[in-house]
Amino acid sequence: MTTNDEAVSRFVERFAAEMTAAGMQRMASRVFAALLASETGSLTSAELAARLRISPAAVSGAIGYLTQVSMVSREREPGTRRDRYVLHNELWYETFTRRDQILTRWEKVLREGADVLGPDTPAGRRTAETAEFFAFLHDEMAGIMDRWRARKEGEAEGSA
C-alpha cells in the first residue's frame, strides 16, 4: 500500500466514522465513503471487500442498506455477471430533496396532531411549534437548493 493509498484509507475511515456518529450504519458508512473516494464513484463487491478488508457478506448488507436509502445503485458490468455499485449523480441534492419531502409530511401530521391535542394545551403548543419549525426548514431548504443549483451552474459556465 502506497502512502497515498494509506492517506485515502484514513480519509475513508474518518469520514465513515463521522457518518456513523450521525446515525448511519457503520458498515454502510464505510462502503459509502469508499465509493465516494474511488476514482470512478463505482466499485464491485470484490473491490469493496478488498479495499475495506471486510467480507463479501458485509459488503452485501451495506449495499442493501445504501440501495434502500437511494444512496447507491446497482449496475451490471457489461459482458459479465458482476454488479458494480455506483454513487448517484447529484447524490446530496437528491438526498436533501427527499428529506424536504419528509419534512412536509411531518409538518402536516404535526399540524393535525396540534389540532387534536388542542392549541391551549402544553402538548398542543409544543406540537404546533414543532410543525412551525419543520415549515421553516422546508422554506429555507427550497432557497438553499436553488442557491446550490445556481452555484453549480455558475461553476459549469466558468469551466466551459
Side-chain angles (χ1 to χ4, degrees):
M1 186 181 281
T2 68
T3 304
N4 188 47
D5 290 342
E6 290 170 8
V8 170
S9 182
R10 281 192 304 276
F11 160 73
V12 165
E13 294 303 330
R14 188 167 164 225
F15 187 57
E18 291 295 329
M19 289 189 297
T20 301
M24 184 183 253
Q25 296 175 357
R26 181 175 182 272
M27 202 54 65
S29 296
R30 292 183 71 212
V31 167
F32 176 80
L35 285 167
L36 186 66
S38 70
E39 198 62 33
T40 61
S42 75
L43 296 166
T44 65
S45 180
E47 291 168 333
L48 284 163
R51 283 184 190 209
L52 297 171
R53 296 182 189 101
I54 59 177
S55 71
V59 172
S60 179
I63 290 296
Y65 172 82
L66 292 168
T67 302
Q68 181 182 353
V69 297
S70 301
M71 293 179 77
V72 301
S73 60
R74 193 180 308 247
E75 294 179 1
R76 182 71 60 179
E77 254 188 10
T80 73
R81 295 178 60 198
R82 291 191 316 181
D83 287 328
R84 291 194 78 70
Y85 304 107
V86 182
L87 293 178
H88 287 244
N89 287 334
E90 299 188 346
L91 167 73
W92 297 115
Y93 183 86
E94 296 298 325
T95 298
F96 280 92
T97 298
R98 281 190 303 281
R99 293 282 187 257
D100 190 48
Q101 294 165 355
I102 291 168
L103 291 175
T104 301
R105 291 196 317 263
W106 287 1
E107 177 196 350
K108 180 179 186 274
V109 172
L110 285 163
R111 288 196 188 285
E112 292 168 3
D115 289 341
V116 168
L117 295 167
D120 297 326
T121 67
R125 286 190 295 273
R126 228 181 2 259
T127 304
E129 182 177 336
T130 304
E132 282 300 315
F133 177 73
F134 287 133
F136 173 79
L137 284 179
H138 171 75
D139 293 345
E140 290 299 309
M141 189 65 69
I144 290 169
M145 298 312 257
D146 289 344
R147 289 190 301 279
W148 173 251
R149 230 348 134 206
R151 179 177 177 166
K152 293 303 292 176
E153 288 170 5
E155 287 176 5
E157 289 171 5
S159 66

